[in-house]
Amino acid sequence: MATPVILPKFDMTMAEGTLGRWLVGEGQAVRRGDPLVEVITDKVTMEVEAPADGVLAGVRARERERVPVAAVIAYIVAPGEAPPAPAAAAAPGTRPAGEPPAAPAVRRRAREAGVDLATLRGTGPGGRITEHDLEAALAARRSPPDRLPATPGGGPAVEPHLRPPGERRPLDARRRTIAARMAQSAREIPHIYLRRAVDFSGLAPTRVYTAAVVAAAARALRAHPLLRAAFQEDAILVHQAIDVAVAVDTPQGVVAPVVRAADGKSVQAIQAEVALLAERARAGTLRAEDLQGAAFTVSNLGVFGVDAFTVLIPPGQSALLALGAVRPRPWAVGNAVAVRPVGEVVLALDHRVADGADGARFLDDLCRLLAQGGGTDQGPGVDRGPSTRSGP
């Protein structure tokens, strides 16, 4: 009996994946557990394994095709066995017969505008009519080219809405999910931002600023549970483990692998772990579990020369710390002015979970720990009990 190969759900937020390379050719024998095909999710590239011994047959999805979670992408059959025939048509009610595929919003907009989607040529996957295809058709209908006035030079004028729209770059699964999560954050999380300058003299000999900030933030978070929490419908979920994500720039977009139990690790250990995670992120070899469960995130654009910046908090967290460039700057030391390595940190807070005073106290502890080197041992760090809530 044929065994279906389905697209698995690699993490809780995954809704679809993009097929990468097929690692086995159709008709080739496989053993259970053999890698069959690469799947590019919004965060990592994973492999789908053969669910049974047999022969790969009935491949349903091509490379670079987006596939929803749990869709059948192929079958494993016995030698000589035929795979099940593909469905003859889409499920009833998905779209009228003879009409090309399109999102419900596009279909509704077309009905309202009186456009027959069957007359359009879709540029999406599988000939899917996109919103851009529909808007281009509506623009062309509004302004026929033969009514355009001539230019002073004698050539036909081109109205702005008829000019080529520029290079169109379809969203891959990773960018699509980043866009969705950031839009969700901007729409649902009321952000407040607190900025503070920090003297990094205690770290100047090592210059491992990202690792030191991760270490110091993790230790400070022990005393500030509201900053390692998540807002839920009727509660605030406080994460017990202090796992800190670190934003990493990759050719496919930013990802944030997680340093587990960061409050118990030295700056040197965190530096080594972050370097390894960043290397794997850029090589595309992170596992799904490397990216899950963070209680807090640190992002550093100082390495690109940015002095200070604000960010959107990832859904599922209540705070994020942004580190700017550390540069020699005038700094008051007692009654004198000295030149010190100074950088700015900007704390983003979910105001549903924590108030400005909570964030201010956290920054106080963070700065004190950074002045001590961020924490070079596995000492207790800050531990003065739960954060109290007061102020705006």
Side-chain angles (χ1 to χ4, degrees):
M1 181 178 179
T3 303
V5 180
I6 66 169
L7 184 73
K9 187 170 187 173
F10 291 113
D11 65 59
M12 294 301 294
T13 62
M14 179 178 171
E16 64 179 14
T18 301
L19 289 200
R21 292 181 304 142
W22 278 98
L23 306 174
V24 176
E26 196 162 5
Q28 186 174 339
V30 296
R31 301 293 300 272
R32 181 177 180 177
D34 285 350
L36 295 179
V37 62
E38 294 175 341
V39 176
I40 305 166
T41 74
D42 58 308
K43 297 173 180 174
V44 293
T45 299
M46 307 289 288
E47 292 178 346
V48 177
E49 298 179 346
D53 297 347
V55 176
L56 179 67
V59 170
R60 298 284 189 266
R62 300 164 297 171
E63 295 181 357
R64 304 179 63 81
E65 184 174 339
R66 289 207 306 273
V67 181
V69 167
V72 176
I73 57 176
Y75 287 90
I76 303 298
V77 299
E81 182 185 10
T94 52
R95 65 173 186 268
E99 197 169 90
V106 173
R107 200 174 300 283
R108 182 170 57 252
R109 172 88 169 108
R111 280 199 304 270
E112 294 170 353
V115 174
D116 181 0
L117 290 181
T119 64
L120 304 186
R121 179 176 176 274
T123 60
R128 190 178 186 84
I129 305 295
T130 67
E131 183 180 1
H132 175 79
D133 297 331
L134 177 58
E135 292 303 326
L138 291 173
R141 189 173 71 176
R142 284 194 296 268
S143 300
D146 57 1
R147 297 182 184 174
L148 296 177
T151 62
V158 179
E159 294 191 4
H161 63 272
L162 293 180
R163 292 172 184 160
E167 180 186 8
R168 185 171 183 277
R169 300 184 176 184
L171 297 177
D172 59 22
R174 194 165 302 173
R175 178 53 58 184
R176 187 183 299 277
T177 298
I178 290 173
R181 286 174 60 80
M182 291 301 96
Q184 179 189 357
S185 175
R187 183 175 60 250
E188 298 180 1
I189 299 178
H191 287 70
I192 53 176
Y193 294 99
L194 306 176
R195 173 183 295 193
R196 184 152 171 174
V198 181
D199 178 3
F200 283 89
S201 295
L203 301 168
T206 61
R207 300 171 63 85
V208 288
Y209 300 123
T210 300
V213 168
V214 170
R219 282 167 168 72
L221 284 171
R222 292 173 180 169
H224 300 276
L226 293 181
L227 274 68
R228 49 180 165 88
F231 181 83
Q232 299 184 330
E233 287 297 324
D234 56 356
I236 293 173
L237 172 67
V238 175
H239 298 289
Q240 294 305 309
I242 302 182
D243 300 333
V244 178
V246 181
V248 175
D249 178 49
T250 77
Q252 293 76 37
V254 67
V255 295
V258 180
V259 178
R260 303 290 173 193
D263 60 322
K265 296 178 178 175
S266 68
V267 173
Q268 291 76 14
I270 291 173
Q271 170 70 7
E273 190 168 338
V274 168
L276 179 61
L277 289 170
E279 181 180 341
R280 290 172 50 201
R282 294 181 179 115
T285 58
L286 287 174
R287 302 162 300 178
E289 54 264 36
D290 294 326
L291 299 161
Q292 297 172 349
F296 188 86
T297 296
V298 170
S299 179
N300 179 5
L301 288 181
V303 295
F304 297 106
V306 174
D307 289 321
F309 61 104
T310 57
V311 290
L312 294 173
I313 301 168
Q317 298 177 32
S318 62
L320 186 152
L321 191 70
L323 171 63
V326 179
R327 308 180 192 278
R329 296 176 187 173
W331 187 258
V333 181
N335 293 325
V337 175
V339 175
R340 293 285 182 86
V342 174
E344 288 195 14
V345 293
V346 178
L347 177 67
L349 283 175
D350 183 343
H351 210 342
R352 298 172 300 179
V353 177
D355 300 326
D358 298 315
R361 283 187 283 269
F362 168 81
L363 285 177
D364 254 348
D365 289 339
L366 176 80
C367 291
R368 182 158 48 82
L369 287 164
L370 286 172
Q372 299 168 1
T376 55
D377 56 23
Q378 298 187 13
V382 176
D383 189 4
R384 63 183 188 189
S387 174
T388 56
R389 297 169 65 91
S390 63

